[in-house]
Amino acid sequence: MLSKKYKIFSYAFIIIWILIMIYLFVLEKIKTEKMNIDVSKLGNISGLASGSEEYLGVYFQDKKIGYVLNHTEKKGENFVLTHRSKIKFSIKGSKRFVDIEGTAELSSDMILKAFYFKLNSEDQEFIVTGKAEGKKIIITSNIQGFKGLELDNSSPIFLDVNLNRYIARKKLNTSKRMSFRIFSLEGFADEIVDVEILSYEKIKIMNEEVFAYHIRKKYKNNIIDAWIDLNGKTLKEKNDLGFELLREIYNENMKEVEGLDIISQFTIPVDKQIGDIFSISQMRVKISGVELSPLLNGGRQKLSGDILTIESELLYKNMELLGDREKRRYLSSEPFIQVDNEEIKALARKIVGNEEDELKRLERINDYLFSSIKKRNVIGIPDAYNTYKNMEGDCNEHASLFVAISRVIGIPARVAGGLAYLNGKFYYHAWVEAYTDGRWRSFDPTWGESPADVGHIRLVYGSMDRILEISKYINKIKLEVIEWK
């Protein structure tokens, strides 16, 4: 095992979750329950409901970190919506910005005809487009190796920036509950979002009191509450992680924005200082504040009540059967794990050489990536090919390329995400699990660990998009270190 030379953590999955919270793709699934609301009792903020623009400040725990600007324009019988947002982050004292822009062309009934989405940072430009063709939406992207995707368009597709307006126009007086299917940007997969119209109530926005519809969106493991006016424009939106969107007077001056300090906001302190984590063969922690997931239990981790025990893989010898379906899944190419890429295949051959022992092959991959990839926090959606081309990144980039190389040489591999211990705190982190010798073994190519030390607590695992499921733990999970030996 290599020494832990670099102590770097990745918050890219947190950042991407924030951005996707602002801009979601949704596919309506017809399923409603009726609700009677007296529309005449609803009011608008004077002058704000009219016009074609809506400006919202983005806040985290009462600190402004960016803004959202939406614009609607009538074009013949259709509508054109444009979306811009800018978020400011602080990582180890360095100020970083992420921009999102998008355009959607809608029919007179607010039905999606085409869209364009671009996420841009100094590290990456990520583009997704869609176009309605008959009963399908054709999805394209600039991700290397992405071969396109077809979505069923027999039920109309919406964008989140227009969902509130659609609800205001079509559903307010007829429906209480609706279900939508999400086209998830981070995983190019379908997800379900449930929307409930809770009530109409008086809120204060920009020093004015106004009646607004209070609706609730349940997306994956997150709850988003929104207050919208008669036209469906957003007045206020917040989630259970402490993020808010607030209607404000137009202002794009980012100098007045504090930004989000990733490291200070998303670490989990504990009351016990563990000594040499490498010498520990077992650690027990008490978990509270969250619903305990079955994913916590498995492999070297054992969950009993609210106590999680993590054993060193040097001692853990239990065999785990990997079914054919699961094996195929963890050998396959994915949008962000480009197993079919010829350059990654060549890199895999270079790394493993003539070595035939699977465990030694994996250790070669781990050592190579640890020593070859420049350690740098990257803001973007991590993928194996871009990591190979740039040879720099944080734990997400290390993990994505490791998984791709492992799959190329025929060893099933998956990304593991969770918490890693360092100097009295746990940090959000990503590493790798590869299946060899009848069990899943952990590797941390960012830290050069094989196996990963027992301070790695796995919360989720699977494909790159599954890492975003960590969001259900952010600002909620609490850990108490019980003992170690």
Side-chain angles (χ1 to χ4, degrees):
M1 180 181 67
L2 299 175
S3 64
K4 192 186 297 184
K5 180 179 177 182
Y6 298 97
K7 299 175 177 61
I8 186 169
F9 306 93
S10 174
Y11 302 87
F13 46 78
I14 299 173
I15 294 169
I16 297 305
W17 182 87
I18 296 168
L19 300 174
I20 290 172
M21 175 197 75
I22 296 170
Y23 199 98
L24 294 175
F25 289 85
V26 297
L27 168 61
E28 184 188 31
K29 174 184 175 184
I30 303 301
K31 176 184 173 185
T32 62
E33 294 180 11
K34 291 187 176 180
M35 176 183 186
N36 293 317
I37 295 179
D38 184 356
V39 178
S40 65
K41 292 184 179 180
L42 289 172
N44 291 317
I45 295 179
S46 58
L48 291 179
S50 60
S52 60
E53 289 190 341
E54 56 179 333
Y55 175 89
L56 302 121
V58 182
Y59 290 82
F60 178 74
Q61 296 182 352
D62 298 325
K63 294 181 179 180
K64 191 170 184 178
I65 64 171
Y67 68 84
V68 171
L69 182 62
N70 295 322
H71 177 86
T72 306
E73 181 181 352
K74 193 79 163 58
K75 193 174 182 180
E77 295 297 320
N78 298 329
F79 291 93
V80 175
L81 269 70
T82 57
H83 168 96
R84 287 170 46 210
S85 53
K86 193 177 186 76
I87 310 296
K88 183 178 181 180
F89 296 99
S90 176
I91 303 176
K92 297 184 178 180
S94 173
K95 303 299 181 185
R96 309 282 290 279
F97 295 91
V98 178
D99 296 279
I100 286 180
E101 62 181 75
T103 303
E105 184 179 353
L106 308 160
S107 71
S108 58
D109 291 329
M110 301 293 179
I111 303 303
L112 182 65
K113 300 182 71 174
F115 72 83
Y116 168 87
F117 169 90
K118 182 170 77 172
L119 181 152
N120 192 39
S121 71
E122 63 181 78
D123 302 307
Q124 186 187 60
E125 182 179 81
F126 172 57
I127 297 173
V128 181
T129 66
K131 185 177 181 181
E133 295 184 4
K135 293 186 177 181
K136 294 186 180 297
I137 292 284
I138 310 301
I139 305 295
T140 61
S141 176
N142 68 334
I143 299 173
Q144 200 282 332
F146 182 67
K147 298 177 181 178
L149 176 69
E150 292 186 355
L151 296 178
D152 181 12
N153 193 31
S154 56
S155 295
I157 293 178
F158 300 92
L159 299 181
D160 191 64
V161 292
N162 193 48
L163 179 60
N164 292 347
R165 300 185 190 193
Y166 176 82
I167 291 172
R169 175 177 290 194
K170 300 286 188 179
K171 301 291 185 180
L172 279 181
N173 206 35
T174 61
S175 307
K176 181 179 179 181
R177 294 182 177 88
M178 295 150 274
S179 293
F180 298 84
R181 195 163 77 243
I182 299 292
F183 169 55
S184 169
L185 280 172
E186 73 275 16
F188 290 88
D190 291 344
E191 301 287 349
I192 297 295
V193 60
D194 296 314
V195 180
E196 183 178 5
I197 302 173
L198 298 177
S199 62
Y200 59 93
E201 56 193 62
K202 185 181 290 187
I203 62 172
K204 192 171 185 178
I205 297 290
M206 294 172 58
N207 296 319
E208 289 196 44
E209 290 189 338
V210 60
F211 281 95
Y213 280 114
H214 180 188
I215 66 175
R216 177 166 292 164
K217 307 173 190 177
K218 294 183 179 179
Y219 170 69
K220 287 189 175 180
N221 301 292
N222 303 299
I223 297 175
I224 300 173
D225 283 273
W227 287 261
I228 63 176
D229 66 19
L230 277 174
N231 298 298
K233 290 188 177 182
T234 302
L235 303 175
K236 177 181 177 181
E237 191 164 294
K238 68 177 184 179
N239 65 19
D240 51 355
L241 300 186
F243 292 96
E244 280 190 303
L245 302 177
L246 293 175
R247 178 73 72 84
E248 293 180 343
I249 297 174
Y250 184 86
N251 181 6
E252 295 185 66
N253 185 2
M254 291 298 287
K255 292 182 179 179
E256 299 178 1
V257 174
E258 294 185 59
L260 178 60
D261 187 342
I262 298 294
I263 291 180
S264 66
Q265 295 293 343
F266 298 105
T267 57
I268 303 171
V270 289
D271 59 352
K272 292 185 176 66
Q273 286 279 347
I274 301 174
D276 182 8
I277 194 73
F278 299 114
S279 66
I280 296 172
S281 60
Q282 184 185 92
M283 181 174 68
R284 296 173 68 236
V285 297
K286 182 178 180 180
I287 301 177
S288 61
V290 295
E291 182 179 350
L292 299 179
S293 167
L295 296 180
L296 286 165
N297 203 24
R300 66 179 189 171
Q301 294 186 180
K302 293 180 177 62
L303 184 65
S304 177
D306 58 359
I307 304 297
L308 183 70
T309 302
I310 306 101
E311 293 183 331
S312 169
E313 288 173 34
L314 298 176
L315 302 176
Y316 178 75
K317 301 297 182 183
N318 291 356
M319 307 294 283
E320 302 173 67
L321 179 64
L322 186 66
D324 290 340
R325 182 178 179 182
E326 195 173 15
K327 184 176 181 180
R328 288 194 299 271
R329 174 187 175 189
Y330 291 125
L331 286 173
S332 299
S333 190
E334 301 171 14
F336 306 110
I337 307 290
Q338 297 96 334
V339 178
D340 299 330
N341 181 266
E342 293 301 325
E343 293 176 84
I344 292 179
K345 288 180 180 180
L347 177 63
R349 291 191 294 268
K350 171 186 173 181
I351 294 172
V352 302
N354 296 322
E355 181 60 60
E356 295 183 359
D357 182 85
E358 282 194 348
L359 182 56
K360 291 181 179 179
R361 286 178 140 201
L362 292 167
E363 289 175 341
R364 283 193 178 188
I365 297 170
N366 202 58
D367 293 353
Y368 179 87
L369 297 183
F370 171 69
S371 60
S372 301
I373 295 179
K374 180 181 178 182
K375 315 302 173 183
R376 179 175 176 271
N377 285 105
V378 171
I379 297 179
I381 296 181
D383 75 278
Y385 180 74
N386 277 322
T387 302
Y388 161 74
K389 294 298 287 185
N390 300 323
M391 291 307 287
E392 65 177 18
D394 49 43
C395 62
N396 289 308
E397 282 71 31
H398 285 72
S400 65
L401 186 52
F402 187 115
V403 169
I405 294 171
S406 179
R407 292 181 184 184
V408 162
I409 63 174
I411 302 176
R414 64 194 186 191
V415 181
L419 299 165
Y421 177 84
L422 179 66
N423 296 334
K425 295 181 180 180
F426 281 91
Y427 298 81
Y428 289 96
H429 192 50
W431 57 97
V432 172
E433 293 178 339
Y435 187 81
T436 183
D437 297 333
R439 54 185 175 270
W440 288 101
R441 294 177 179 268
S442 64
F443 300 86
D444 189 335
T446 314
W447 287 357
E449 294 185 15
S450 173
D453 63 60
V454 297
H456 289 64
I457 300 176
R458 188 190 69 192
L459 301 176
V460 298
Y461 62 82
S463 305
M464 286 303 302
D465 61 290
R466 294 293 301 273
I467 300 302
L468 284 179
E469 294 183 15
I470 288 179
S471 62
K472 68 181 180 181
Y473 295 99
I474 295 173
N475 284 345
K476 298 175 188 175
I477 191 170
K478 294 181 176 59
L479 297 177
E480 178 185 350
V481 179
I482 304 298
E483 64 176 1
W484 62 87
K485 60 183 180 181

